[in-house]
Amino acid sequence: MAERKPVIVSEEELRLQREYMQMVRENPERPASYHVVTYGCQMNAHDSEKLAGMLRDMGMEEAPDREHADFVIFNTCCVRDNAERRALGNVTWLKEIRKQNPKLIIAVCGCMIQQPGMADRILRQYKFIDLAFGTSNLHKLPELMHKKLQSDRAVVQVEDEDTIAEDVPVKRLRKDSAYITIMYGCDNFCSYCIVPYVRGRERSREKSAILNEARQLKESGVKEIMLLGQNVNSYGKGLAEETNFARLLQELDEIGIPRIRFMTSHPKDLSDELIEVLRHSRHILPQFHLPVQSGNDEILRRMNRRYDRARYLDRVRKLREAVPGIGLTTDIIVGFPGETEEQFLDTMALVDEVGYDSAFTFIYSPRTGTVAAGLADQVPEDVAADRIQRLIALQDRRQKEEMARFLGMEEEVLVEGLSRRSDKAVSGKGRHGVSITFGGTEEDVGRIIRVRVTEIKNNTLMAERLD
Ligand code: SAH
Ligand code: SF4
Ligand code: F3S
């Protein structure tokens, strides 16, 4: 792959976008309200916060649902086939809504749009889409909106560039917990994965920009930050300043935000230095998302993961030794091309051995353009479906067993909201990343509360308040 340099979006360009924002704000034809529909991972969730920030600054009100908005934007995902189909199905359905609201503008952005050939397909096949742009053009929404208001034709802009845009307005979903992107893109090219093709080459934000953002968030009363990147462990590559993820974490820890989380970590890049930072940190939470994907060395090799089962288990052992009781979670793919029953059983044995607090399990989904999509020996659907059932059953049992370690333990919960089951109870995540429910009211939302775990009910921890 040809060498590509990250494109730092210039201050001049960002000033230009602010001028477009103002033009849209003053345009009587502009939509009065917007609604953002988000698919996919936390990266997309945070991108949607930026979309909402720009739309707010263009003078639009947030509508409670898509039926009541004049501008609906779909921020799409294409990591698996079902994610893509769901997005397209929903966009198509909006065609009907337009019959009731002829002024409705339909926009689509995100990973799905960044796939090769997609921009053309939108213009030819999905003629009801008014506005479309890729992941690298997010900051240009004001300009594209301005163009759309001047024209009856679809406005489509997808560039194959690795941009970093600082200072894009953000409208955050939560007041107490905030996302901070530390790096964009991915260079790992796991053979099944489309992300490197739709998010571009790996590039890190300047450390000073990240630290400034964290300090501002602390000032505004944020209690938790979640650092985002497809592979946070390789943070720092390509920056002028010599740095890495372990050092970034250490500096963030010193700022004093009560809770720091991050995702995702790649097992091949999880260094001893990072584990030492976790051991001594004050604010980094005792939880770790470490996708394993498979427990079989041959499958891992063909996935291009560049670690083996032994290395993975060694990382788990070191993490647990440094941070006793750490909450471990993972991602697993079943039915990778050529996966035999025996190889699958290696994954089952690993899940049994590690004991995860939770696992996201997926049936392999071929993605056009990736290496694995071209492999012979695709596993039949019914075989893959049977394997995932068995894996889920095993994980369910192991999860229950792991939860037992919390019984009687003190935990601190950042309250997210009222419990779904009762309006006299609240729930949120403990420091280890597990959901905890206990007696409380709306007033507790956004606060950190000390509790003692008293019971385990359907994989949720129930607790009593201590203060
Ligand atoms: N960067 C992260 C996660 C990226 S996508 C990482 O490296 O772990 C999130 C998860 O989706 C992956 O961990 C993987 O388990 C799953 N996934 C990605 N591509 C997939 C595919 N083609 N089929 C099924 N699952 C896939
Ligand atoms: Fe995809 Fe692998 Fe990159 Fe994760 S590390 S985004 S699975 S290519
Ligand atoms: Fe999906 Fe893009 Fe995230 S493909 S998983 S939204 S990086």
Side-chain angles (χ1 to χ4, degrees):
M1 180 146 298
E3 183 76 13
R4 297 208 304 200
K5 281 224 165 351
V7 179
I8 315 282
V9 177
S10 66
E11 280 183 27
E12 197 184 340
E13 168 71 31
L14 290 167
R15 199 167 330 121
L16 188 65
Q17 293 305 325
R18 282 196 291 275
E19 280 168 26
Y20 281 119
M21 270 185 218
Q22 179 154 6
M23 282 192 262
V24 172
R25 205 162 48 224
E26 288 165 1
N27 185 337
E29 298 291 306
R30 71 160 165 76
S33 60
Y34 71 89
H35 189 74
V36 185
V37 185
T38 310
Y39 300 90
C41 62
Q42 280 92 346
M43 297 272 173
N44 255 21
H46 188 37
D47 281 350
S48 286
E49 294 182 326
K50 293 180 185 167
L51 294 169
M54 290 185 278
L55 291 163
R56 172 200 61 201
D57 290 359
M58 285 186 265
M60 297 176 211
E61 294 287 330
E62 185 172 2
D65 53 49
R66 52 192 102 163
E67 285 86 349
H68 294 91
D70 297 329
F71 179 77
V72 178
I73 181 159
F74 289 84
N75 191 9
T76 60
C77 169
C78 58
V79 76
R80 285 170 294 275
D81 184 50
N82 54 2
E84 201 169 326
R85 271 206 312 253
R86 216 154 44 104
L88 272 179
N90 275 312
V91 181
T92 313
W93 169 79
L94 263 191
K95 261 199 314 195
E96 296 305 309
I97 304 231
R98 175 139 55 195
K99 288 184 187 149
Q100 288 136 46
N101 179 8
K103 274 175 59 189
L104 176 65
I105 297 178
I106 301 174
V108 186
C109 67
C111 294
M112 201 177 92
I113 304 302
Q114 197 75 39
Q115 295 178 94
M118 202 58 195
D120 281 346
R121 238 173 96 193
I122 285 181
L123 288 169
R124 279 184 289 109
Q125 217 175 326
Y126 304 113
K127 292 213 162 81
F128 53 91
I129 294 177
D130 302 301
L131 184 61
F133 53 94
T135 52
S136 60
N137 300 116
L138 187 93
H139 61 282
K140 287 199 175 152
L141 175 61
E143 177 179 349
L144 299 174
M145 178 73 92
H146 174 74
K147 276 193 185 152
K148 177 63 226 167
L149 295 175
Q150 313 297 316
S151 150
D152 289 334
R153 314 242 311 262
V155 174
V156 177
Q157 191 169 7
V158 183
E159 270 146 34
D160 200 12
E161 268 184 0
D162 302 327
T163 48
I164 299 182
E166 293 291 345
D167 300 321
V168 175
V170 187
K171 182 173 184 285
R172 295 193 182 269
L173 284 168
R174 286 173 64 174
K175 284 201 176 67
D176 53 332
S177 178
Y179 294 127
I180 301 183
T181 303
I182 65 166
M183 48 138 32
Y184 301 91
C186 181
D187 282 352
N188 285 318
F189 291 95
C190 301
S191 64
Y192 50 81
C193 185
I194 198 155
V195 171
Y197 302 90
V198 294
R199 288 275 174 176
R201 297 289 55 74
E202 188 177 298
R203 54 217 187 262
S204 295
R205 281 177 72 195
E206 291 291 339
K207 196 166 76 183
S208 55
I210 297 168
L211 293 172
N212 280 340
E213 189 174 349
R215 286 191 199 103
Q216 278 168 16
L217 287 166
K218 181 175 185 237
E219 291 280 292
S220 71
V222 157
K223 304 221 167 56
E224 176 180 275
I225 54 173
M226 169 76 137
L227 310 175
L228 297 179
Q230 292 299 347
N231 181 12
V232 289
N233 293 245
S234 70
Y235 171 79
K237 267 199 295 183
L239 288 179
E241 178 188 3
E242 168 94 24
T243 187
N244 64 26
F245 184 53
R247 270 177 266 167
L248 172 70
L249 265 183
Q250 205 163 8
E251 286 185 48
L252 285 165
D253 193 38
E254 283 157 17
I255 290 178
I257 296 169
R259 294 162 60 121
I260 302 177
R261 302 162 65 193
F262 52 87
M263 74 186 308
T264 297
S265 294
H266 195 302
K268 80 176 160 60
D269 299 315
L270 169 48
S271 66
D272 289 339
E273 187 187 359
L274 174 61
I275 294 177
E276 283 315 300
V277 171
L278 299 185
R279 189 199 298 273
H280 301 293
S281 94
R282 284 175 300 160
H283 307 293
I284 303 168
L285 295 187
Q287 50 177 273
F288 214 99
H289 185 59
L290 194 61
V292 67
Q293 313 298 359
S294 166
N296 176 269
D297 284 347
E298 171 61 16
I299 295 289
L300 285 172
R301 193 183 61 72
R302 287 201 277 125
M303 285 178 162
N304 194 29
R305 289 291 285 179
R306 286 173 282 173
Y307 55 84
D308 59 12
R309 181 190 178 98
R311 155 91 186 172
Y312 184 89
L313 290 173
D314 172 68
R315 297 293 85 186
V316 168
R317 189 180 53 74
K318 283 228 165 84
L319 279 171
R320 284 191 160 143
E321 184 262 319
V323 187
I326 192 169
L328 285 176
T329 55
T330 199
D331 293 348
I332 299 170
I333 297 175
V334 305
F336 184 80
E339 184 190 67
T340 63
E341 172 67 14
E342 263 187 336
Q343 289 169 329
F344 168 68
L345 289 178
D346 283 344
T347 300
M348 292 282 277
L350 181 133
V351 167
D352 202 8
E353 180 174 342
V354 173
Y356 293 105
D357 282 346
S358 79
F360 300 92
T361 50
F362 308 105
I363 291 181
Y364 166 74
S365 165
R367 305 282 65 205
T368 308
T370 61
V371 170
L375 295 177
D377 247 356
Q378 303 281 329
V379 172
E381 259 174 56
D382 56 330
V383 174
D386 172 65
R387 284 181 191 165
I388 202 165
Q389 288 305 327
R390 284 145 69 200
L391 181 61
I392 291 170
L394 168 66
Q395 172 52 27
D396 228 44
R397 173 171 71 72
R398 290 296 287 115
Q399 186 165 337
K400 282 202 179 72
E401 290 163 4
E402 288 301 315
M403 291 297 113
R405 76 183 188 283
F406 293 111
L407 268 180
M409 214 171 101
E410 276 185 29
E411 256 284 21
E412 281 174 358
V413 182
L414 177 56
V415 179
E416 276 167 52
L418 286 176
S419 153
R420 260 174 289 159
R421 291 194 200 93
S422 149
D423 57 4
K424 291 191 185 66
V426 290
S427 66
K429 295 255 163 64
R431 292 172 56 80
H432 295 77
V434 178
S435 288
I436 302 181
T437 301
F438 57 95
T441 64
E442 193 79 56
E443 276 188 6
D444 298 321
V445 175
R447 287 167 51 194
I448 294 176
I449 292 178
R450 267 184 349 115
V451 301
R452 186 188 310 284
V453 177
T454 52
E455 198 191 340
I456 304 167
K457 234 191 209 166
N458 310 321
N459 286 345
T460 311
L461 302 177
M462 311 302 285
E464 63 190 17
R465 301 170 78 108
L466 292 176
D467 46 24

